[in-house]
Amino acid sequence: MTMHRPGPLWWLWYAMGGGLPERYRDWVLHDVTTRTWALRQMLRSIVQLVPIGVLLVLLVPGELWVRLVAVLGGAAVGMIYAASFVHLTTEHRSVKAGWARGQAEAVRERRTAPQREAAARRYEERYR
């Protein structure tokens, strides 16, 4: 499996919700299943919020501190929603790249199975 990583412009397109060409298919699955998959998705959400926040701060009239607080408050709410839907969003990204629905979650489950099994054993030993 040869994985091609997208360049900065393709990554920016991908972060904004665009689909990538077929050659990046394996990288997309890696991106949504690696150990830091949730942090990566949150970073993509921040990248989506920045242009809107900058436009609001620059174009909306009023005191600068009011605009900044409003944008930061809106960004905080947006990040809460992004965190709430992180599983669905990454699944959608993998489906858009051509993977079967549920594939990303299955890969994450396989990767974390040993840790979950060890935790279950510790729980059983402690609370038997």
Side-chain angles (χ1 to χ4, degrees), residues 10-20 24-33 37 40-48 85-101 103-104 108:
W10 275 119
W11 184 87
L12 186 60
W13 173 253
Y14 173 72
M16 296 303 276
L20 293 176
Y24 300 119
R25 182 175 189 258
D26 293 332
W27 179 84
V28 170
L29 185 64
H30 167 76
D31 184 56
V32 298
T33 60
W37 67 273
R40 289 171 177 241
Q41 179 56 38
M42 297 307 289
L43 175 65
R44 288 189 292 269
S45 297
I46 291 171
V47 168
Q48 291 175 354
F85 294 105
V86 71
H87 284 86
L88 294 173
T89 306
T90 54
E91 193 64 41
H92 179 70
R93 285 184 184 277
S94 69
V95 169
K96 196 187 299 188
W99 295 98
R101 187 165 302 282
Q103 178 72 26
R108 286 193 297 261

Short mmCIF file of all heavy atoms in Angstrom, two decimals, residues 10-20 24-33 37 40-48 85-101 103-104 108:
data_model
loop_
_atom_site.label_atom_id
_atom_site.label_comp_id
_atom_site.label_asym_id
_atom_site.label_seq_id
_atom_site.Cartn_x
_atom_site.Cartn_y
_atom_site.Cartn_z
N TRP A 10 -4.00 20.93 -1.53
CA TRP A 10 -4.96 19.82 -1.47
C TRP A 10 -5.42 19.62 -0.03
O TRP A 10 -6.60 19.34 0.22
CB TRP A 10 -4.37 18.53 -2.01
CG TRP A 10 -4.48 18.37 -3.49
CD1 TRP A 10 -3.44 18.25 -4.36
CD2 TRP A 10 -5.67 18.32 -4.28
NE1 TRP A 10 -3.92 18.13 -5.64
CE2 TRP A 10 -5.29 18.16 -5.62
CE3 TRP A 10 -7.02 18.40 -3.98
CZ2 TRP A 10 -6.21 18.08 -6.65
CZ3 TRP A 10 -7.94 18.32 -5.01
CH2 TRP A 10 -7.53 18.15 -6.32
N TRP A 11 -4.50 19.74 0.94
CA TRP A 11 -4.89 19.56 2.33
C TRP A 11 -5.88 20.64 2.74
O TRP A 11 -6.85 20.37 3.45
CB TRP A 11 -3.68 19.57 3.27
CG TRP A 11 -4.11 19.30 4.67
CD1 TRP A 11 -4.26 18.08 5.26
CD2 TRP A 11 -4.52 20.26 5.66
NE1 TRP A 11 -4.73 18.23 6.55
CE2 TRP A 11 -4.89 19.55 6.82
CE3 TRP A 11 -4.60 21.65 5.68
CZ2 TRP A 11 -5.32 20.19 7.98
CZ3 TRP A 11 -5.05 22.29 6.83
CH2 TRP A 11 -5.40 21.55 7.96
N LEU A 12 -5.62 21.89 2.33
CA LEU A 12 -6.54 22.98 2.67
C LEU A 12 -7.92 22.71 2.06
O LEU A 12 -8.95 22.90 2.72
CB LEU A 12 -5.98 24.31 2.18
CG LEU A 12 -6.76 25.55 2.58
CD1 LEU A 12 -6.84 25.67 4.09
CD2 LEU A 12 -6.12 26.78 1.98
N TRP A 13 -7.95 22.25 0.82
CA TRP A 13 -9.22 21.88 0.18
C TRP A 13 -9.92 20.78 0.98
O TRP A 13 -11.13 20.84 1.23
CB TRP A 13 -8.94 21.43 -1.26
CG TRP A 13 -10.13 20.88 -1.98
CD1 TRP A 13 -10.36 19.57 -2.29
CD2 TRP A 13 -11.26 21.60 -2.47
NE1 TRP A 13 -11.56 19.44 -2.94
CE2 TRP A 13 -12.13 20.67 -3.06
CE3 TRP A 13 -11.61 22.95 -2.46
CZ2 TRP A 13 -13.33 21.05 -3.64
CZ3 TRP A 13 -12.80 23.32 -3.03
CH2 TRP A 13 -13.65 22.37 -3.62
N TYR A 14 -9.15 19.77 1.38
CA TYR A 14 -9.67 18.65 2.18
C TYR A 14 -10.17 19.15 3.53
O TYR A 14 -11.25 18.75 3.99
CB TYR A 14 -8.55 17.62 2.35
CG TYR A 14 -8.84 16.48 3.29
CD1 TYR A 14 -9.74 15.48 2.95
CD2 TYR A 14 -8.17 16.38 4.50
CE1 TYR A 14 -9.97 14.42 3.81
CE2 TYR A 14 -8.40 15.33 5.36
CZ TYR A 14 -9.30 14.36 5.01
OH TYR A 14 -9.52 13.31 5.86
N ALA A 15 -9.43 20.04 4.18
CA ALA A 15 -9.83 20.57 5.49
C ALA A 15 -11.13 21.37 5.39
O ALA A 15 -11.93 21.37 6.33
CB ALA A 15 -8.72 21.45 6.06
N MET A 16 -11.34 22.02 4.26
CA MET A 16 -12.56 22.80 4.08
C MET A 16 -13.75 21.93 3.65
O MET A 16 -14.84 22.44 3.45
CB MET A 16 -12.33 23.91 3.06
CG MET A 16 -11.30 24.93 3.50
SD MET A 16 -11.69 25.72 5.04
CE MET A 16 -12.77 27.01 4.50
N GLY A 17 -13.53 20.62 3.53
CA GLY A 17 -14.63 19.71 3.24
C GLY A 17 -14.62 19.14 1.84
O GLY A 17 -15.51 18.35 1.49
N GLY A 18 -13.65 19.51 1.03
CA GLY A 18 -13.59 19.02 -0.34
C GLY A 18 -13.08 17.59 -0.41
O GLY A 18 -12.41 17.10 0.50
N GLY A 19 -13.41 16.92 -1.49
CA GLY A 19 -12.92 15.57 -1.71
C GLY A 19 -11.55 15.59 -2.37
O GLY A 19 -11.19 16.54 -3.06
N LEU A 20 -10.78 14.55 -2.14
CA LEU A 20 -9.46 14.43 -2.73
C LEU A 20 -9.48 13.44 -3.89
O LEU A 20 -10.33 12.55 -3.94
CB LEU A 20 -8.46 13.95 -1.68
CG LEU A 20 -8.16 14.93 -0.54
CD1 LEU A 20 -7.23 14.28 0.48
CD2 LEU A 20 -7.55 16.21 -1.08
N TYR A 24 -5.17 9.75 -3.13
CA TYR A 24 -5.05 10.06 -1.70
C TYR A 24 -5.99 9.19 -0.86
O TYR A 24 -6.11 9.42 0.34
CB TYR A 24 -5.34 11.53 -1.45
CG TYR A 24 -4.40 12.46 -2.17
CD1 TYR A 24 -4.88 13.37 -3.10
CD2 TYR A 24 -3.04 12.42 -1.94
CE1 TYR A 24 -4.03 14.22 -3.77
CE2 TYR A 24 -2.17 13.27 -2.60
CZ TYR A 24 -2.67 14.17 -3.51
OH TYR A 24 -1.82 15.01 -4.17
N ARG A 25 -6.62 8.23 -1.46
CA ARG A 25 -7.62 7.40 -0.77
C ARG A 25 -7.05 6.75 0.49
O ARG A 25 -7.66 6.80 1.56
CB ARG A 25 -8.12 6.34 -1.75
CG ARG A 25 -9.18 5.44 -1.23
CD ARG A 25 -9.64 4.52 -2.37
NE ARG A 25 -10.80 3.77 -1.96
CZ ARG A 25 -10.77 2.51 -1.58
NH1 ARG A 25 -9.63 1.85 -1.56
NH2 ARG A 25 -11.88 1.90 -1.21
N ASP A 26 -5.87 6.14 0.38
CA ASP A 26 -5.27 5.48 1.54
C ASP A 26 -4.88 6.47 2.62
O ASP A 26 -5.00 6.20 3.81
CB ASP A 26 -4.05 4.65 1.12
CG ASP A 26 -4.43 3.48 0.24
OD1 ASP A 26 -5.57 2.98 0.39
OD2 ASP A 26 -3.60 3.06 -0.58
N TRP A 27 -4.42 7.65 2.20
CA TRP A 27 -4.05 8.66 3.18
C TRP A 27 -5.28 9.13 3.96
O TRP A 27 -5.19 9.36 5.18
CB TRP A 27 -3.37 9.86 2.51
CG TRP A 27 -3.02 10.91 3.50
CD1 TRP A 27 -1.90 10.97 4.28
CD2 TRP A 27 -3.80 12.06 3.86
NE1 TRP A 27 -1.95 12.07 5.10
CE2 TRP A 27 -3.11 12.76 4.85
CE3 TRP A 27 -5.03 12.54 3.42
CZ2 TRP A 27 -3.59 13.92 5.43
CZ3 TRP A 27 -5.51 13.70 4.00
CH2 TRP A 27 -4.80 14.37 4.99
N VAL A 28 -6.41 9.27 3.29
CA VAL A 28 -7.63 9.70 3.98
C VAL A 28 -8.01 8.68 5.06
O VAL A 28 -8.32 9.05 6.20
CB VAL A 28 -8.81 9.91 2.99
CG1 VAL A 28 -10.12 10.12 3.73
CG2 VAL A 28 -8.52 11.07 2.06
N LEU A 29 -7.93 7.39 4.73
CA LEU A 29 -8.25 6.38 5.75
C LEU A 29 -7.26 6.45 6.91
O LEU A 29 -7.65 6.37 8.07
CB LEU A 29 -8.24 4.97 5.14
CG LEU A 29 -8.67 3.87 6.10
CD1 LEU A 29 -10.13 4.06 6.53
CD2 LEU A 29 -8.47 2.50 5.48
N HIS A 30 -5.99 6.64 6.59
CA HIS A 30 -5.00 6.81 7.65
C HIS A 30 -5.33 8.05 8.49
O HIS A 30 -5.26 8.01 9.72
CB HIS A 30 -3.59 6.94 7.05
CG HIS A 30 -2.58 7.43 8.02
ND1 HIS A 30 -2.05 6.63 9.00
CD2 HIS A 30 -2.01 8.64 8.19
CE1 HIS A 30 -1.19 7.33 9.72
NE2 HIS A 30 -1.16 8.55 9.25
N ASP A 31 -5.69 9.14 7.84
CA ASP A 31 -5.97 10.40 8.52
C ASP A 31 -7.13 10.28 9.50
O ASP A 31 -7.08 10.86 10.58
CB ASP A 31 -6.27 11.48 7.48
CG ASP A 31 -6.47 12.84 8.10
OD1 ASP A 31 -5.56 13.29 8.82
OD2 ASP A 31 -7.53 13.44 7.86
N VAL A 32 -8.16 9.52 9.14
CA VAL A 32 -9.33 9.43 10.01
C VAL A 32 -9.27 8.24 10.96
O VAL A 32 -10.23 8.01 11.72
CB VAL A 32 -10.65 9.41 9.19
CG1 VAL A 32 -10.81 10.69 8.40
CG2 VAL A 32 -10.73 8.20 8.31
N THR A 33 -8.15 7.49 10.95
CA THR A 33 -8.05 6.34 11.85
C THR A 33 -6.78 6.33 12.68
O THR A 33 -6.62 5.46 13.53
CB THR A 33 -8.12 5.02 11.06
OG1 THR A 33 -7.04 4.97 10.13
CG2 THR A 33 -9.44 4.87 10.35
N TRP A 37 -6.58 10.92 15.37
CA TRP A 37 -7.63 11.24 14.40
C TRP A 37 -8.59 12.31 14.90
O TRP A 37 -8.99 13.19 14.14
CB TRP A 37 -8.39 9.98 14.00
CG TRP A 37 -9.20 9.37 15.10
CD1 TRP A 37 -8.78 8.48 16.03
CD2 TRP A 37 -10.56 9.64 15.40
NE1 TRP A 37 -9.80 8.17 16.89
CE2 TRP A 37 -10.91 8.87 16.53
CE3 TRP A 37 -11.53 10.45 14.82
CZ2 TRP A 37 -12.17 8.89 17.09
CZ3 TRP A 37 -12.80 10.47 15.38
CH2 TRP A 37 -13.11 9.69 16.50
N ARG A 40 -6.90 15.71 14.78
CA ARG A 40 -6.81 16.15 13.38
C ARG A 40 -8.13 16.73 12.91
O ARG A 40 -8.17 17.75 12.21
CB ARG A 40 -6.41 14.98 12.48
CG ARG A 40 -4.99 14.54 12.65
CD ARG A 40 -4.77 13.24 11.87
NE ARG A 40 -3.40 12.80 11.95
CZ ARG A 40 -2.61 12.66 10.89
NH1 ARG A 40 -3.06 12.92 9.69
NH2 ARG A 40 -1.37 12.25 11.04
N GLN A 41 -9.23 16.08 13.27
CA GLN A 41 -10.54 16.58 12.86
C GLN A 41 -10.83 17.92 13.53
O GLN A 41 -11.39 18.81 12.90
CB GLN A 41 -11.64 15.57 13.18
CG GLN A 41 -13.02 16.03 12.79
CD GLN A 41 -13.15 16.40 11.33
OE1 GLN A 41 -12.57 15.76 10.47
NE2 GLN A 41 -13.89 17.45 11.04
N MET A 42 -10.44 18.08 14.77
CA MET A 42 -10.67 19.36 15.44
C MET A 42 -9.83 20.46 14.79
O MET A 42 -10.29 21.59 14.65
CB MET A 42 -10.37 19.24 16.94
CG MET A 42 -11.29 18.26 17.67
SD MET A 42 -13.05 18.57 17.43
CE MET A 42 -13.24 20.05 18.37
N LEU A 43 -8.61 20.13 14.38
CA LEU A 43 -7.78 21.11 13.67
C LEU A 43 -8.45 21.52 12.36
O LEU A 43 -8.46 22.70 12.01
CB LEU A 43 -6.39 20.54 13.41
CG LEU A 43 -5.47 21.41 12.57
CD1 LEU A 43 -5.14 22.70 13.30
CD2 LEU A 43 -4.21 20.66 12.22
N ARG A 44 -9.00 20.55 11.64
CA ARG A 44 -9.71 20.89 10.40
C ARG A 44 -10.91 21.79 10.68
O ARG A 44 -11.21 22.70 9.91
CB ARG A 44 -10.15 19.62 9.67
CG ARG A 44 -9.00 18.88 9.03
CD ARG A 44 -9.48 17.76 8.13
NE ARG A 44 -10.10 16.68 8.86
CZ ARG A 44 -9.44 15.62 9.32
NH1 ARG A 44 -8.15 15.50 9.13
NH2 ARG A 44 -10.08 14.67 9.96
N SER A 45 -11.57 21.58 11.81
CA SER A 45 -12.70 22.45 12.17
C SER A 45 -12.23 23.87 12.45
O SER A 45 -12.90 24.84 12.07
CB SER A 45 -13.42 21.88 13.39
OG SER A 45 -13.96 20.62 13.10
N ILE A 46 -11.09 24.00 13.10
CA ILE A 46 -10.54 25.33 13.35
C ILE A 46 -10.19 26.02 12.04
O ILE A 46 -10.47 27.21 11.85
CB ILE A 46 -9.31 25.24 14.28
CG1 ILE A 46 -9.75 24.83 15.68
CG2 ILE A 46 -8.55 26.56 14.32
CD1 ILE A 46 -8.61 24.49 16.62
N VAL A 47 -9.61 25.26 11.11
CA VAL A 47 -9.27 25.82 9.80
C VAL A 47 -10.53 26.32 9.10
O VAL A 47 -10.49 27.35 8.41
CB VAL A 47 -8.52 24.77 8.94
CG1 VAL A 47 -8.41 25.20 7.49
CG2 VAL A 47 -7.15 24.50 9.52
N GLN A 48 -11.64 25.64 9.27
CA GLN A 48 -12.89 26.09 8.66
C GLN A 48 -13.43 27.35 9.32
O GLN A 48 -14.05 28.19 8.66
CB GLN A 48 -13.94 24.98 8.75
CG GLN A 48 -13.65 23.78 7.89
CD GLN A 48 -14.64 22.66 8.10
OE1 GLN A 48 -15.52 22.74 8.98
NE2 GLN A 48 -14.53 21.62 7.31
N PHE A 85 -19.79 15.78 16.81
CA PHE A 85 -20.01 15.04 15.57
C PHE A 85 -18.72 14.51 14.95
O PHE A 85 -18.69 14.20 13.77
CB PHE A 85 -20.76 15.92 14.56
CG PHE A 85 -22.15 16.24 14.99
CD1 PHE A 85 -22.47 17.50 15.48
CD2 PHE A 85 -23.14 15.28 14.94
CE1 PHE A 85 -23.76 17.80 15.89
CE2 PHE A 85 -24.43 15.57 15.34
CZ PHE A 85 -24.74 16.84 15.82
N VAL A 86 -17.66 14.39 15.74
CA VAL A 86 -16.35 14.01 15.20
C VAL A 86 -16.39 12.62 14.56
O VAL A 86 -15.78 12.39 13.51
CB VAL A 86 -15.25 14.14 16.27
CG1 VAL A 86 -15.37 13.09 17.35
CG2 VAL A 86 -13.88 14.10 15.64
N HIS A 87 -17.13 11.67 15.14
CA HIS A 87 -17.21 10.34 14.55
C HIS A 87 -17.93 10.36 13.20
O HIS A 87 -17.48 9.74 12.24
CB HIS A 87 -17.92 9.36 15.50
CG HIS A 87 -17.09 8.91 16.62
ND1 HIS A 87 -16.98 9.61 17.79
CD2 HIS A 87 -16.28 7.83 16.75
CE1 HIS A 87 -16.16 8.99 18.60
NE2 HIS A 87 -15.72 7.90 18.00
N LEU A 88 -19.04 11.08 13.14
CA LEU A 88 -19.81 11.15 11.90
C LEU A 88 -19.04 11.88 10.80
O LEU A 88 -19.07 11.48 9.63
CB LEU A 88 -21.14 11.85 12.14
CG LEU A 88 -22.12 11.12 13.05
CD1 LEU A 88 -23.32 11.99 13.35
CD2 LEU A 88 -22.55 9.81 12.43
N THR A 89 -18.36 12.95 11.18
CA THR A 89 -17.61 13.73 10.20
C THR A 89 -16.47 12.93 9.60
O THR A 89 -16.27 12.94 8.38
CB THR A 89 -17.07 15.01 10.85
OG1 THR A 89 -18.14 15.72 11.46
CG2 THR A 89 -16.40 15.90 9.84
N THR A 90 -15.73 12.21 10.43
CA THR A 90 -14.62 11.42 9.90
C THR A 90 -15.15 10.25 9.07
O THR A 90 -14.53 9.89 8.06
CB THR A 90 -13.70 10.91 11.01
OG1 THR A 90 -14.47 10.21 11.99
CG2 THR A 90 -12.97 12.06 11.67
N GLU A 91 -16.25 9.69 9.47
CA GLU A 91 -16.84 8.60 8.67
C GLU A 91 -17.25 9.12 7.30
O GLU A 91 -17.03 8.46 6.28
CB GLU A 91 -18.04 8.01 9.41
CG GLU A 91 -18.52 6.72 8.85
CD GLU A 91 -17.50 5.60 8.98
OE1 GLU A 91 -16.84 5.50 10.03
OE2 GLU A 91 -17.35 4.84 8.01
N HIS A 92 -17.84 10.30 7.26
CA HIS A 92 -18.24 10.90 5.99
C HIS A 92 -17.02 11.15 5.10
O HIS A 92 -17.08 10.93 3.89
CB HIS A 92 -19.01 12.19 6.23
CG HIS A 92 -19.42 12.88 4.97
ND1 HIS A 92 -20.39 12.38 4.14
CD2 HIS A 92 -18.98 14.01 4.39
CE1 HIS A 92 -20.54 13.19 3.10
NE2 HIS A 92 -19.68 14.18 3.23
N ARG A 93 -15.93 11.60 5.69
CA ARG A 93 -14.71 11.83 4.92
C ARG A 93 -14.20 10.54 4.30
O ARG A 93 -13.75 10.53 3.16
CB ARG A 93 -13.63 12.46 5.79
CG ARG A 93 -13.87 13.91 6.10
CD ARG A 93 -12.72 14.49 6.90
NE ARG A 93 -12.98 15.86 7.27
CZ ARG A 93 -12.77 16.91 6.47
NH1 ARG A 93 -12.26 16.71 5.27
NH2 ARG A 93 -13.03 18.12 6.88
N SER A 94 -14.24 9.45 5.07
CA SER A 94 -13.74 8.18 4.53
C SER A 94 -14.67 7.66 3.42
O SER A 94 -14.19 7.12 2.42
CB SER A 94 -13.58 7.14 5.64
OG SER A 94 -14.82 6.74 6.16
N VAL A 95 -15.97 7.82 3.57
CA VAL A 95 -16.91 7.40 2.53
C VAL A 95 -16.70 8.24 1.27
O VAL A 95 -16.71 7.72 0.15
CB VAL A 95 -18.37 7.50 3.04
CG1 VAL A 95 -19.36 7.34 1.90
CG2 VAL A 95 -18.62 6.48 4.13
N LYS A 96 -16.47 9.53 1.44
CA LYS A 96 -16.22 10.41 0.30
C LYS A 96 -14.96 9.99 -0.45
O LYS A 96 -14.86 10.18 -1.66
CB LYS A 96 -16.08 11.85 0.79
CG LYS A 96 -16.21 12.86 -0.32
CD LYS A 96 -15.91 14.28 0.11
CE LYS A 96 -16.83 14.79 1.16
NZ LYS A 96 -16.63 16.23 1.44
N ALA A 97 -13.99 9.39 0.27
CA ALA A 97 -12.75 8.94 -0.35
C ALA A 97 -12.90 7.57 -1.01
O ALA A 97 -11.95 7.06 -1.60
CB ALA A 97 -11.63 8.89 0.68
N GLY A 98 -14.06 6.94 -0.87
CA GLY A 98 -14.30 5.67 -1.54
C GLY A 98 -14.28 4.46 -0.64
O GLY A 98 -14.38 3.33 -1.12
N TRP A 99 -14.19 4.64 0.65
CA TRP A 99 -14.19 3.51 1.58
C TRP A 99 -15.64 3.19 1.96
O TRP A 99 -16.51 4.04 1.92
CB TRP A 99 -13.38 3.83 2.83
CG TRP A 99 -11.93 4.01 2.52
CD1 TRP A 99 -11.28 5.20 2.34
CD2 TRP A 99 -10.97 2.99 2.32
NE1 TRP A 99 -9.97 4.96 2.05
CE2 TRP A 99 -9.74 3.62 2.02
CE3 TRP A 99 -11.01 1.59 2.35
CZ2 TRP A 99 -8.58 2.91 1.76
CZ3 TRP A 99 -9.85 0.89 2.11
CH2 TRP A 99 -8.66 1.54 1.81
N ALA A 100 -15.88 1.95 2.36
CA ALA A 100 -17.23 1.53 2.75
C ALA A 100 -17.63 2.21 4.06
O ALA A 100 -16.79 2.50 4.91
CB ALA A 100 -17.26 0.01 2.93
N ARG A 101 -18.93 2.45 4.19
CA ARG A 101 -19.43 3.05 5.43
C ARG A 101 -19.10 2.10 6.59
O ARG A 101 -19.32 0.91 6.51
CB ARG A 101 -20.94 3.25 5.34
CG ARG A 101 -21.51 4.01 6.50
CD ARG A 101 -22.91 4.51 6.23
NE ARG A 101 -23.03 5.37 5.06
CZ ARG A 101 -22.68 6.66 5.03
NH1 ARG A 101 -22.17 7.22 6.08
NH2 ARG A 101 -22.84 7.38 3.93
N GLN A 103 -16.02 1.57 7.66
CA GLN A 103 -14.63 1.12 7.55
C GLN A 103 -13.71 1.87 8.51
O GLN A 103 -12.88 1.26 9.18
CB GLN A 103 -14.14 1.31 6.11
CG GLN A 103 -12.70 0.91 5.89
CD GLN A 103 -12.50 -0.58 5.91
OE1 GLN A 103 -13.42 -1.33 5.63
NE2 GLN A 103 -11.31 -1.01 6.26
N ALA A 104 -13.84 3.17 8.60
CA ALA A 104 -12.96 3.95 9.48
C ALA A 104 -13.16 3.54 10.94
O ALA A 104 -12.19 3.33 11.68
CB ALA A 104 -13.23 5.45 9.30
N ARG A 108 -10.40 1.81 13.52
CA ARG A 108 -10.11 2.37 14.86
C ARG A 108 -10.38 1.34 15.95
O ARG A 108 -9.63 1.23 16.91
CB ARG A 108 -10.94 3.64 15.10
CG ARG A 108 -10.44 4.82 14.33
CD ARG A 108 -11.07 6.12 14.80
NE ARG A 108 -12.49 6.19 14.60
CZ ARG A 108 -13.09 6.80 13.59
NH1 ARG A 108 -12.37 7.40 12.66
NH2 ARG A 108 -14.39 6.83 13.51
#
